[in-house]
Amino acid sequence: DAGITQSPRYKITETGRQVTLMCHQTWSHSYMFWYRQDLGHGLRLIYYSAAADITDKGEVPDGYVVSRSKTENFPLTLESATRSQTSVYFCASSSPAWGETQYFGPGTRLLVL
Amino acid sequence: GESVGLHLPTLSVQEGDNSIINCAYSNSASDYFIWYKQESGKGPQFIIDIRSNMDKRQGQRVTVLLNKTVKHLSLQIAATQPGDSAVYFCAPAGGNNRLAFGKGNQVVVIP
């Protein structure tokens, strides 16, 4: 049972490049979330999705784009990466049937040069 | 927005002693609370949860206490072990299946 996976685990890119971070879950959870984690800020919500084709902004959505064409996938795209987007990105999923607990992936460490 | 804070940024505890991590929250409408543990280089991991109709819940070596009157919860870890070294987050439910994460509290276990 793979649960929730993220790829790549590590990524180095340059300012201005487009980067897509992948998230895949095998539980058929309806909700999926993207967070970034930076020292001094804890976990901040970027975008979330209640179901396929339904997405909504979180606290810090600027500079990011998401899509959810399939329930199990929730990719996060940085259309033009900036140094301030250097961070650790976590994907999570949850299901109303399982309560509001979110289950997290292992994270993607992104460095923008 | 939600204000979630932890009173102690770093807690150093001797192996075998009990640990207590505190968390204050601001949204009185929160009715569900989760504690997560995050080890270095990993994603947050669910430890224990509690609903607002309870004031105490116990798990394996962990106990969560909820005081809705003062909007405070705590996580107690019994007989702390080296594997308990991590950052601990409390996360009140914020509606729409969203959680409000605090900045975390580092626990360092001294062997």
Side-chain angles (χ1 to χ4, degrees):
Chain A
D1 182 1
I4 183 163
T5 56
Q6 294 182 235
S7 62
R9 295 294 313 278
Y10 303 90
K11 177 73 177 178
I12 300 174
T13 191
E14 294 176 335
T15 302
R17 291 195 181 258
Q18 183 180 81
V19 177
T20 297
L21 310 184
M22 304 301 294
C23 180
H24 175 78
Q25 51 104 356
T26 60
W27 294 308
S28 299
H29 283 174
S30 56
Y31 280 85
M32 294 187 76
F33 307 82
W34 273 107
Y35 293 90
R36 60 178 291 172
Q37 186 174 40
D38 306 286
L39 282 174
H41 290 283
L43 286 158
R44 292 184 290 176
L45 183 65
I46 304 171
Y47 269 96
Y48 67 104
S49 168
D53 297 321
I54 300 175
T55 62
D56 220 333
K57 295 179 180 179
E59 294 176 67
V60 290
D62 293 343
Y64 303 95
V65 174
V66 293
S67 62
R68 188 136 178 240
S69 57
K70 294 184 178 181
T71 300
E72 61 267 29
N73 296 324
F74 191 37
L76 175 73
T77 298
L78 289 66
E79 292 194 304
S80 179
T82 65
R83 288 188 181 139
S84 65
Q85 292 177 309
T86 291
S87 187
V88 182
Y89 292 85
F90 288 102
C91 179
S93 70
S94 71
S95 169
W98 289 20
E100 290 160 282
T101 302
Q102 294 179 19
Y103 297 89
F104 284 80
T108 294
R109 284 145 186 80
L110 176 68
L111 173 62
V112 182
L113 300 174
Chain B
E2 174 72 36
S3 170
V4 180
L6 297 174
H7 298 306
L8 297 175
T10 302
L11 174 67
S12 296
V13 59
Q14 203 72 35
E15 182 178 356
D17 289 351
N18 297 335
S19 304
I20 299 176
I21 306 162
N22 296 302
C23 176
Y25 63 95
S26 61
N27 185 355
S28 56
S30 294
D31 63 356
Y32 180 62
F33 305 84
I34 306 168
W35 279 98
Y36 285 90
K37 172 187 180 183
Q38 186 177 23
E39 297 176 82
S40 181
K42 297 184 179 180
Q45 178 184 12
F46 170 87
I47 304 173
I48 191 167
D49 58 2
I50 189 168
R51 294 225 169 257
S52 58
N53 60 353
M54 304 170 69
D55 52 22
K56 180 179 180 179
R57 188 161 190 221
Q58 287 185 290
Q60 186 176 13
R61 284 200 307 116
V62 294
T63 300
V64 56
L65 301 177
L66 174 62
N67 185 331
K68 296 179 292 294
T69 303
V70 296
K71 289 183 284 188
H72 179 273
L73 64 159
S74 67
L75 178 71
Q76 300 177 1
I77 305 173
T80 310
Q81 302 170 359
D84 295 327
S85 291
V87 175
Y88 291 82
F89 296 93
C90 71
N96 288 331
N97 276 61
R98 293 171 61 167
L99 300 175
F101 286 90
K103 291 182 180 167
N105 190 351
Q106 177 81 49
V107 171
V108 177
V109 179
I110 303 165

